[in-house]
Amino acid sequence: PELDIMEANTHAFVATPHTCDVPSTPRFANCDRAGRGRNTKDMGNAYGPGAGHTIDTTRPFQVRTTFRGRPSSTDPGAARFLGMTTELLQGGASLAVESRADAKYLGALAPSMNAGLALRMSYWGDTPEMMSWMDSPPCGSQRCFGANAGPATISDLTVHPIGQPVPPPVRATEAPPV
């Protein structure tokens, strides 16, 4: 199982849960590669470089993912996973990237979430062929290396347990010049 909170570049942002069949061994063999996510490339001028987008990717923005759930009726120590929303915040603008997964699909992720998932961050996908699933269109045949592969800065990362109040978001501000 996998929860992609942020797969992104300057032209597309995707948040996707992926389920796997219950394994007969300690390894998962059959997983839903496509998942049930939402991609900003299908949301008009929601996300991209420039002031004509709700979220201007040439400026800093905040990513906030909320998992909705409730205690399991059969296991008081476990939670049911009912929903996932990723919100992009910039200045006074807000963009919700709502997962298309229903409670049954997300419920298949609950055992893994209850056991604890590992947080992983990576910078991958430098060829157009590898990344076209995410950003074609609007991206074309450019390669993401050298001048096309700028820095990715992640800061102020916090994780809050389900069921505990989450403080209101702190709005992203302009980054100091590098």
Side-chain angles (χ1 to χ4, degrees):
E2 181 179 336
L3 282 169
D4 296 323
I5 293 171
M6 178 181 179
E7 292 182 288
N9 61 24
T10 58
H11 295 277
F13 185 107
V14 186
T16 309
H18 301 268
T19 61
C20 296
D21 291 344
V22 176
S24 58
T25 68
R27 294 183 55 146
F28 290 96
N30 186 27
C31 296
D32 179 7
R33 290 180 50 96
R36 301 260 178 98
R38 182 94 190 261
N39 190 325
T40 60
K41 76 176 183 179
D42 302 322
M43 299 170 71
N45 290 331
Y47 178 93
H53 296 88
T54 304
I55 301 299
D56 174 1
T57 58
T58 64
R59 297 179 29 235
F61 59 93
Q62 184 180 36
V63 178
R64 182 181 185 129
T65 299
T66 303
F67 301 103
R68 294 180 305 284
R70 65 174 181 246
S72 169
S73 58
T74 57
D75 181 356
R80 292 190 56 210
F81 184 17
L82 303 173
M84 173 180 155
T85 301
T86 298
E87 185 179 19
L88 310 181
L89 306 160
Q90 185 178 62
S94 173
L95 174 66
V97 183
E98 187 75 39
S99 169
R100 293 187 170 150
D102 60 19
K104 181 178 179 183
Y105 187 89
L106 294 171
L109 288 168
S112 295
M113 290 184 77
N114 284 326
L117 294 176
L119 177 62
R120 181 179 195 194
M121 295 179 207
S122 61
Y123 200 105
W124 62 275
D126 65 348
T127 65
E129 297 80 19
M130 182 178 282
M131 299 310 295
S132 65
W133 66 269
M134 179 177 80
D135 62 13
S136 181
C139 291
S141 61
Q142 72 264 27
R143 294 181 60 88
C144 293
F145 66 93
N148 290 333
T153 302
I154 297 173
S155 61
D156 299 325
L157 180 68
T158 60
V159 178
H160 302 274
I162 289 177
Q164 291 189 5
V166 177
V170 175
R171 300 292 178 186
T173 59
E174 295 296 329
V178 179

